[in-house]
Each structure stands twice: as structure tokens, then as C-alpha cells.
Amino acid sequence: MDNWDEIRTAFQVARIGTVSGAADALGVHHATVIRHIDALENRLGVKLFQRHARGYTATEAGQDLMQVATATDDQFTQLAGRIRGQGEGVSGDLVVTSLVMLSPMLVPVMAKFRRENPDLTVRYLTGDRLFRLEYGEAHVAIRAGAAPDQPDNVVQPFTFQPLHLVASPEYIANHGTPADEDALADHWFIGHDNAESRAPFIQWLNATVPANRIVFRTTDNRALVDAVLAGAGIGFVSKWEMERHPELVEVIPSRPEWSAQLWLVTHVDLHRTTKVQAFLKFLKEEAAAWDL
């Protein structure tokens, strides 16, 4: 096919379903969209879309073409992400992703790194989903749990995330402190809303405490900390949160099996770039001073 513009136009029409929507996405006039679709159909000798009052629907031939166009568009996106990360200097965007519970330890490091590299813009993306490094969605990922096994990634052991089982003074005043682990079943707890969570401390909690005693559940670690502070129950917080909130009371000593191994993950195509190497070196040096 000798005209990618026409295929790209057809891809947007199929994705959005209307000529006007595709025109807006492409930044062209709607007449250009119609002209591209007509030219592509004439060249292929087949109808790619059924026209109707609500818009355009891809035919079987159109769906076949869209599969190829989608793969090609993904490859272009991947290429663009890699190119953006291959600059020689420490400038432009640095995209780092992690679970939000790691924010207290990572944000000060990234802020300091940015101050030392004024041409840099830090983009810190948090959440449970795995950002696709092979598509250039992030330069560096800090991940917890089992060693990541996605192909073409460089994986390095980083550090541990210690967890503590704590309660607020308000909770202690209302319900007392568990005398030992056997007494935990008589208390109220804060847990993760996803019963299938692979986090070791969540698995331990689910195995140790009856489900009806976990009375406050959330998918966001920030909300979990807020719930602990509000006295909603006993819950897990990181060492950094313990330091930020010294009023919290540790109900039983922290256990190694609650801790999560952290990993530094980069894509092989960006791993050796100046920017990524500079940040990894800086992060490891800063982490060496952490009291874990």
C-alpha cells in the first residue's frame, strides 16, 4: 500500500465511527476524510464501510484492514516512544511509574534529580496497571512482588518495602490493642478490595483474619492510609508513613514476609540512554541512605 494517510484515515473512522470524529482526531476537514475513504475503497476494489445515518461501520474487509492498521499504529507509537527516550542529554521528559504507596520515598528523589537537571520534566505515573515499557509509556518502572518477566525488559533488584500493622490512637481508645496475634480476630481491619491481590501483606491478612472482620476495603493505598488515620480499623502502612505519622501505634512487630521486593525495570532499547542511566545511578545512590 503506497498511501499510509488513507489507511490512517480509515483507521480513525473505524475506531471512532464518524467522519466528523475522525476529522477532529486527524486535524483535517471532513471532506478530506471522505476523499481518503473513497480513494482507498476504489484502489482496493471493495467496500470498507457501511454508511448509515449514525456514521460508518466497518465491513468484513474493513475489519481485516483495521487489524493491520492497528498493529502498524501500535508500532509507530512504540517507535515514537523509543525515539523520545534516546536523547543524549538529561533533558525532556523522564517518565517514572510505580505503585502510589512508593510515592513518599520516590518523590523526594525525583524532585532532587530534577533540581540537578533543570532541562528535565519529571512525569510520575502511579497506579496498579503495568505501563508498557516496550511502547515507550515509561522510561523506568519500580515494581513490587515477583520479578517481572516481560520480554525485552532489563530487571534489577532494588530494595524492599517494609510494612507495619498499625492503628490510630482513636481506634486504640475505642477498641484497645490486640494482646497478640490470636487476638487479631476480635478486631476490625482495613484491607484491599481485590481479594486476589498478590501483595504479600494482603495475602497474610486474608489468611489470618476472618473476612467479616475486614470492614473497610479500598483499591487505593492512599485511601488505606487515610482510613487507618481516621480510625476505621487496623491496617498496613509503609515505614515512610510511620515516620510521617508518629502517632500511629504498631499492634504487632513487623514481619519480613509482609515486605515486598522492589525491582527497577527498564526496556532494553532505552536502558543505556544517558537519561535513564543517570536517573538509575542517582536513585540507587539515594536509596543507599534509606533506613530500611
Side-chain angles (χ1 to χ4, degrees), residues 164-173 176-178 184 189 228-229 233-237 241-243 245-254 258:
H164 297 265
L165 193 59
V166 300
S168 70
E170 179 183 0
Y171 178 89
I172 298 298
T177 305
L184 293 178
F189 286 85
V228 170
L229 294 172
I234 298 172
F236 284 96
V237 302
E241 294 294 349
M242 286 278 289
E243 293 174 349
H245 301 284
E247 73 276 14
L248 293 175
V249 178
E250 192 165 25
V251 298
I252 61 174
S254 178
W258 297 344

Side-chain angles (χ1 to χ4, degrees), residues 54-116:
R54 296 183 304 277
Y56 281 36
T57 301
T59 63
E60 184 176 353
Q63 292 172 0
D64 287 343
L65 181 65
M66 290 316 103
Q67 289 181 357
V68 175
T70 300
T72 304
D73 187 71
D74 284 346
Q75 289 174 345
F76 274 126
T77 300
Q78 178 180 353
L79 176 62
R82 293 178 182 178
I83 291 173
R84 283 194 298 269
Q86 289 177 355
E88 290 301 321
V90 184
S91 62
D93 287 352
L94 172 68
V95 187
V96 180
T97 176
S98 80
L99 294 171
V100 70
M101 71 186 305
L102 303 180
S103 175
M105 75 177 194
L106 293 177
V107 165
V109 175
M110 291 185 288
K112 184 176 179 181
F113 186 68
R114 163 62 186 73
R115 287 193 296 270
E116 295 187 9

Side-chain angles (χ1 to χ4, degrees), residues 13 21-22 61 75 87 98 118-119 122 124 133 138 141 153 179-180 182 188 235 254:
V13 172
Q75 289 174 345
S98 80
D119 294 329
V122 173
Y124 182 38
L133 303 186
N153 284 344
D180 51 34
D182 292 337
W188 307 111
S254 178

